[in-house]
Amino acid sequence: GDVIHRMLTATQYIAPLMANFNPSYSQNSTVQYLDNGTVFVVQWDKVYLQGKEDMGSFTFQAALHSSGRIVFGYKEIPVPVLQISASQHPVKAGLSDAFMVLNPSPDVP
């Protein structure tokens, strides 16, 4: 949609793994993307959780295919996802296409 609001990233996302990652922690951490016209891939490589760098680095990716198929790939997840704290940032994996109505109309429930 064309609505931009402060909760956009909380309500609309494609997330192989959302957490409090800090790509600037290490010079070896990168977030890269590739688009060849058939597939768009984003890879988080050797990223660390902010303040929990001792847990180790995470490497994972999301591939968005022109057919509509979405594939999440995981190479390095050093701790169980359920052990990642959500106190500083939500921890999620998956898709959300939620939307927000700013000016409700009496004609729309």
Side-chain angles (χ1 to χ4, degrees):
D2 59 357
V3 176
I4 305 294
H5 54 85
R6 61 183 160 80
M7 296 297 291
L8 186 65
T9 57
T11 60
Q12 298 178 1
Y13 56 83
I14 299 172
L17 183 55
M18 181 188 306
N20 195 23
F21 289 110
N22 178 8
S24 67
Y25 172 74
S26 168
Q27 289 185 341
N28 294 326
S29 298
T30 59
V31 178
Q32 301 177 1
Y33 68 91
L34 166 86
D35 184 354
N36 70 7
T38 310
V39 64
F40 176 74
V41 180
V42 179
Q43 178 166 308
W44 292 260
D45 192 36
K46 298 182 182 83
V47 294
Y48 292 82
L49 290 168
Q50 177 77 36
K52 300 290 183 182
E53 291 82 4
D54 59 330
M55 286 184 164
S57 68
F58 292 71
T59 298
F60 53 92
Q61 64 180 215
L64 308 165
H65 296 262
S66 60
S67 66
R69 187 169 60 124
I70 299 171
V71 179
F72 295 155
Y74 304 91
K75 183 176 180 186
E76 296 175 355
I77 305 295
V79 296
V81 173
L82 294 175
Q83 290 182 12
I84 299 173
S85 171
S87 63
Q88 298 296 315
H89 190 286
V91 177
K92 302 176 185 180
L95 311 170
S96 175
D97 65 352
F99 61 92
M100 183 171 142
V101 177
L102 297 176
N103 297 315
S105 166
D107 300 332
V108 178

